[in-house]
Amino acid sequence: MGSIKFAIWFLAQALTVAGYSDAVKDVRGNLGADRIINLPYTAVTESVRSLLDGFEVDEFGNTNLGTDLRLSSEAVAALTLNGVEFSDTTEEWIQQFERNFENEAFVCQDSAEACATSADFFLQYQRMDAIHARFDNISASSPLASIDSIGSSYEVCRL
């Protein structure tokens, strides 16, 4: 399973100075009524895209089976009502998040520079300062890479 946006959002909220807060470890509570589904590629049609346009869709990533999406219970009900084939994988995702919270090595705990230069950089969750340090190191060591800004981004977090 590869998680993208939700995992980054979820983990960004999860980190405290002492580790993970108990409130954020409550994966089920933080997910609320939302569901995580796997939508097979064969089910991704124009009519399904149009149907989902009316809802907030958070794409987690893709597997060989299809696209993983976080949807509201209303969006899942609409898919069901329209006979769209999908698998509800919410429990599997919750179990994966809980395993990650139990694994102290899941998040690089070293300094930003140590994490940025680690051979395990892509095997661990990295904090934003380590990601910035990695980019800075790449741009400093290559004439082909540079750091520039093309605008601003804003992150909305639900508590």
Side-chain angles (χ1 to χ4, degrees):
M1 258 185 234
S3 59
I4 300 176
K5 287 167 41 178
F6 180 70
I8 291 171
W9 164 83
F10 195 84
L11 289 170
Q13 292 186 56
L15 297 173
T16 63
V17 174
Y20 303 118
S21 73
D22 288 337
V24 178
K25 281 185 177 179
D26 180 15
V27 179
R28 195 174 307 283
N30 284 299
L31 192 57
D34 288 358
R35 306 302 297 169
I36 303 169
I37 68 161
N38 182 273
L39 188 63
Y41 296 119
T42 56
V44 182
T45 63
E46 281 304 315
S47 62
V48 169
R49 285 188 180 109
S50 295
L51 176 66
L52 290 176
D53 276 344
F55 299 98
E56 184 177 327
V57 177
D58 186 5
E59 184 178 346
F60 274 27
N62 301 292
T63 67
N64 59 344
L65 302 175
T67 300
D68 294 313
L69 305 172
R70 176 182 175 200
L71 301 171
S72 67
S73 57
E74 295 82 10
V76 172
L79 290 174
T80 302
L81 183 66
N82 284 278
V84 177
E85 173 193 358
F86 65 89
S87 300
D88 187 327
T89 57
T90 305
E91 291 304 316
E92 290 91 343
W93 279 93
I94 288 173
Q95 290 170 12
Q96 181 63 46
F97 284 126
E98 288 173 344
R99 279 192 301 273
N100 289 344
F101 282 128
E102 296 303 319
N103 179 2
E104 291 182 20
F106 180 65
V107 178
C108 185
Q109 299 292 333
D110 297 330
S111 70
E113 189 59 33
C115 291
T117 57
S118 169
D120 292 336
F121 183 83
F122 294 106
L123 301 177
Q124 293 179 299
Y125 176 80
Q126 300 295 333
R127 294 187 172 140
M128 191 56 70
D129 58 346
I131 294 170
H132 288 171
R134 180 95 172 180
F135 288 153
D136 291 341
N137 292 344
I138 292 169
S139 70
S141 65
S142 171
L144 302 175
S146 65
I147 305 282
D148 202 354
S149 175
I150 58 171
S152 299
S153 64
Y154 302 93
E155 180 176 335
V156 177
C157 295
R158 289 186 246 166
L159 299 178

